């Protein structure tokens, strides 16, 4: 039987009005506040502007004779959708801390640097950053640690900073996109109602070809730089420091193996992460000699490295539940703001405009990329960029009979991967400030980042890797027929 319950705007939200500008006014005003925060105050923390956005939406609700209570119920409901992702993020904080004290991250670093050679510097940098980012789930952490070290080494080898920066960004943000530990990789499918592992699998057709192509280009470019006689003492010093402070062996890689196997078996994300925490904690106690009380403290507050080697200490001082509070609080504000916009009618008003010209598969994918880029350039907050288009377009994918894994893949293609290429986006601002190079100088050489959405458009044009399901309209017709028979 179909659900013929009447629509109650106070509970279910409002549709578009006769004034499109009035419908989108809360979104535009919030975007202006965000830009003031970013460009005038030079503060790239969007929490308070998004909180202001919720209040602004509530004021517009009042001006139009509507009630706050219904909007509050809606944005709390949307926040609830993100709770599994937030729990996973807290688990990831524990996982990073456990992997560091267990020696897992140091082992990955040690052997990762072993594949490094001057003749293939750019190729190696991209691979190393990808490995670290997949293992830790953070592109920013990778850029700020390994990436920063690689910039210095690259300059010493005579390799232009923009090339090194491009390779760092390609590897770091590839890992962020594909890691089950990443905040955006968990938040994006949660907002669109997609399983985490289905989402990761769905990203392979665009991300893998883009990365392979990028690596081939880096290998080709890199052959013109450096020679095998160049001193690599800084790399060896880093490896020696890791070996002196940790027991490194195949056993210390076990936590990573457990997480990978669990991922292949498509275990739920939360037990997957917690199993990695447990195995890492056990190894830390029995192989690294860490006290149980210290393990508990690291899982809560993170690890502080004190080896005396600045690069290593900066690289390994992280993790813990508390390290995720910035991201989790931002996620709450972003989801709350989007839930408020949903109830006010902003998303329905935008969707009404989109419905006028989205009639085909190619148009649907183009619209997805366009909406993601619009939010990413207008608002500049990667979390809102990942959530808003998912909430906006998920019903359109259902209606046209396409699985939402294409939606979430496209969001990450144009959201996660292009964020470091937009100078005023959080991603681009962070990378430029951390590496000391302008966003637009390294952006053309971050091949994996901009090739991924191009592959997405190619598959949409060729109708490849765009999985289908029964369209919502067809399901409705079937249900209607059954109700008539009944």
């Amino acid at each position: 039987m179909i659900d013929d319950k009447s629509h109650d705007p106070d509970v279910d939200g409002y549709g578009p009005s006769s004034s499109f500008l009035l419908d989108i006014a809360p979104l535009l005003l919030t975007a202006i506040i965000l830009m003031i925060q970013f460009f005038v105050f030079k503060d790239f923390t969007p929490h308070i502007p998004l909180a202001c956005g919720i209040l602004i939406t509530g004021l517009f609700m009042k001006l139009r004779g509507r009630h706050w209570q219904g909007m509050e119920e809606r944005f709390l409901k949307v926040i609830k959708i993100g709770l599994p992702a937030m729990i996973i993020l807290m688990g990831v904080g524990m996982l990073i801390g456990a992997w560091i004290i267990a020696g897992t991250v140091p082992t990955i670093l040690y052997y990762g640097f072993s594949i490094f050679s001057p003749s293939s510097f750019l190729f190696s940098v991209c691979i190393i950053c990808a490995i670290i980012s997949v293992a830790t789930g953070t592109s920013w952490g990778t850029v700020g640690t390994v990436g920063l070290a690689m910039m210095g080494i690259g300059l010493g080898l005579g390799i232009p900073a923009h090339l090194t920066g491009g390779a760092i960004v390609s590897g770091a943000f590839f890992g962020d996109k594909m890691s089950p530990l990443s905040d955006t990789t968990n938040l994006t499918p949660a907002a669109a109602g997609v399983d985490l592992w289905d989402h990761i699998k769905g990203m392979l057709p665009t991300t893998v070809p883009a990365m392979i192509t990028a690596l081939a280009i880096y290998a080709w470019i890199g052959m013109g730089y450096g020679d095998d006689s160049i001193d690599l003492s800084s790399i060896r010093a880093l490896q020696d420091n890791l070996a002196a402070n940790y027991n490194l062996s195949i056993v210390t890689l076990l936590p990573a193996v457990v997480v990978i196997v669990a991922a292949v078996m498509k275990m739920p994300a939360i037990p997957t992460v917690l199993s990695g925490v447990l195995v890492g904690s056990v190894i830390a106690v029995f192989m690294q000699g860490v006290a149980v009380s210290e393990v508990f403290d690291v899982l809560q507050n993170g690890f502080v490295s004190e080896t005396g080697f600045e690069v290593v200490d900066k690289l390994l001082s992280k993790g813990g539940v508390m390290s995720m509070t910035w991201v989790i609080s931002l996620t709450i504000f972003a989801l709350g703001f989007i839930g408020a916009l949903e109830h006010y009618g902003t998303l329905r008003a935008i969707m009404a405009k989109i419905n006028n010209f989205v009639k085909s598969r190619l148009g649907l994918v183009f619209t997805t990329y366009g909406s993601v880029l619009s939010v990413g350039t207008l608002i500049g907050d990667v979390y809102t960029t990942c959530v808003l288009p998912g909430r906006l377009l998920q019903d359109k994918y259902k209606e046209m009979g396409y699985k939402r894994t294409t939606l979430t893949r496209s969001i990450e293609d144009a959201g996660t991967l292009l964020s470091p290429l937009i100078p005023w986006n959080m991603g681009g601002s962070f990378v430029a400030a951390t590496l000391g190079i302008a966003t637009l100088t390294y952006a053309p050489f971050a091949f994996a980042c901009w090739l991924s959405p191009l592959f997405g458009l190619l598959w949409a044009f060729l109708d490849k890797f765009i999985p289908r399901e029964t369209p919502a309209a067809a399901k409705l017709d079937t249900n209607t027929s059954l109700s008539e028979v009944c």
Side-chain angles (χ1 to χ4, degrees), residues 80-143:
K80 184 179 179 182
I81 293 173
L83 282 178
M86 295 180 220
I87 294 172
I88 291 170
L89 290 176
M90 288 189 283
V92 168
M94 291 191 288
L95 187 68
I96 293 172
W99 281 19
I100 291 174
I101 59 176
T104 304
V105 172
T107 301
I108 293 172
L109 281 172
Y110 183 90
Y111 290 106
F113 284 123
S114 295
I115 68 174
F116 180 88
S117 67
S119 60
S120 59
F121 175 77
L122 296 174
F123 178 93
S124 299
V125 164
C126 188
I127 286 287
I128 290 171
C129 288
I131 291 172
I132 300 303
S133 191
V134 169
T136 61
T138 168
S139 53
W140 288 24
T142 302
V143 169

Side-chain angles (χ1 to χ4, degrees), residues 66-86:
R66 300 172 181 178
H67 303 294
W68 169 273
Q69 188 60 38
M71 189 188 82
E72 181 177 311
E73 291 176 0
R74 172 60 67 90
F75 73 64
L76 289 176
K77 182 177 180 181
V78 174
I79 290 173
K80 184 179 179 182
I81 293 173
L83 282 178
M86 295 180 220

Side-chain angles (χ1 to χ4, degrees), residues 151-176:
M151 285 297 296
I153 294 169
L155 290 174
L157 298 179
I159 297 175
H162 59 270
L163 290 178
T164 304
I168 292 168
V169 169
S170 284
F173 282 82
F174 161 85
D176 192 318

Side-chain angles (χ1 to χ4, degrees), residues 126-127 129-131 133-134 139 168-179 182 185 203-204 206-212 215 416-417 448-449 452:
C126 188
I127 286 287
C129 288
I131 291 172
S133 191
V134 169
S139 53
I168 292 168
V169 169
S170 284
F173 282 82
F174 161 85
D176 192 318
K177 182 185 179 188
M178 297 306 297
S179 174
S182 166
T185 307
M203 291 192 292
L204 294 176
T206 60
T207 312
V208 172
M211 190 61 170
I212 292 174
L215 288 172
T416 302
L417 292 184
C449 292
S452 190

Side-chain angles (χ1 to χ4, degrees), residues 30-336:
T30 304
I32 291 172
I33 296 174
L34 278 162
M35 286 188 283
I36 292 173
Q37 174 86 333
F38 293 163
F39 303 133
V40 178
F41 300 155
K42 305 297 183 182
D43 185 346
F44 294 93
T45 52
H47 300 61
I48 303 307
L50 290 173
C52 291
I54 296 174
L55 179 59
I56 289 170
T57 309
L59 291 175
F60 272 87
M61 290 280 295
K62 185 67 175 177
L63 287 173
R64 300 176 76 171
R66 300 172 181 178
H67 303 294
W68 169 273
Q69 188 60 38
M71 189 188 82
E72 181 177 311
E73 291 176 0
R74 172 60 67 90
F75 73 64
L76 289 176
K77 182 177 180 181
V78 174
I79 290 173
K80 184 179 179 182
I81 293 173
L83 282 178
M86 295 180 220
I87 294 172
I88 291 170
L89 290 176
M90 288 189 283
V92 168
M94 291 191 288
L95 187 68
I96 293 172
W99 281 19
I100 291 174
I101 59 176
T104 304
V105 172
T107 301
I108 293 172
L109 281 172
Y110 183 90
Y111 290 106
F113 284 123
S114 295
I115 68 174
F116 180 88
S117 67
S119 60
S120 59
F121 175 77
L122 296 174
F123 178 93
S124 299
V125 164
C126 188
I127 286 287
I128 290 171
C129 288
I131 291 172
I132 300 303
S133 191
V134 169
T136 61
T138 168
S139 53
W140 288 24
T142 302
V143 169
T145 52
V146 175
L148 196 58
M150 291 298 99
M151 285 297 296
I153 294 169
L155 290 174
L157 298 179
I159 297 175
H162 59 270
L163 290 178
T164 304
I168 292 168
V169 169
S170 284
F173 282 82
F174 161 85
D176 192 318
K177 182 185 179 188
M178 297 306 297
S179 174
L181 311 180
S182 166
D183 46 10
T184 57
T185 307
N186 281 278
L187 185 59
T188 302
V194 175
D195 177 75
L196 172 63
W197 302 118
D198 288 343
H199 168 58
I200 292 175
K201 181 180 178 181
M203 291 192 292
L204 294 176
T206 60
T207 312
V208 172
M211 190 61 170
I212 292 174
T213 305
L215 288 172
I217 297 174
Y218 290 134
W220 176 69
I221 294 176
M223 289 188 295
Y225 294 94
D227 60 66
D228 292 335
S229 65
I230 293 178
D231 182 20
L232 294 178
S233 59
S234 57
I235 290 291
R236 296 193 185 95
L238 193 152
Q239 288 180 305
D240 291 343
N241 183 273
L242 291 171
N245 286 277
Y246 292 91
N247 292 318
L248 307 178
S249 70
I250 295 178
V251 176
T252 56
L253 292 175
L254 188 59
V257 172
V258 168
V259 171
I260 292 171
V261 170
V264 172
M265 296 175 62
K266 294 186 176 181
M267 285 180 58
I270 293 175
T272 295
V273 171
L274 294 180
S275 64
V277 173
L278 177 61
V279 175
S281 299
V282 171
I283 291 176
V285 172
F286 289 100
M287 281 201 65
Q288 308 298 344
V290 180
V292 174
S293 59
E294 185 179 350
V295 170
F296 276 50
D297 182 67
V298 168
L299 297 184
Q300 173 68 21
N301 300 306
F303 180 70
V304 178
S305 177
E306 297 176 342
T307 67
F309 197 105
E310 183 179 357
V311 174
V312 172
D313 290 340
K314 186 174 181 180
L315 184 63
L316 299 182
S317 295
K318 59 184 59 181
V321 172
M322 299 307 295
S323 69
M324 293 295 171
T325 54
W326 192 94
V327 173
I328 291 172
S329 59
L330 177 55
T331 300
I332 292 172
F333 282 122
L335 290 173

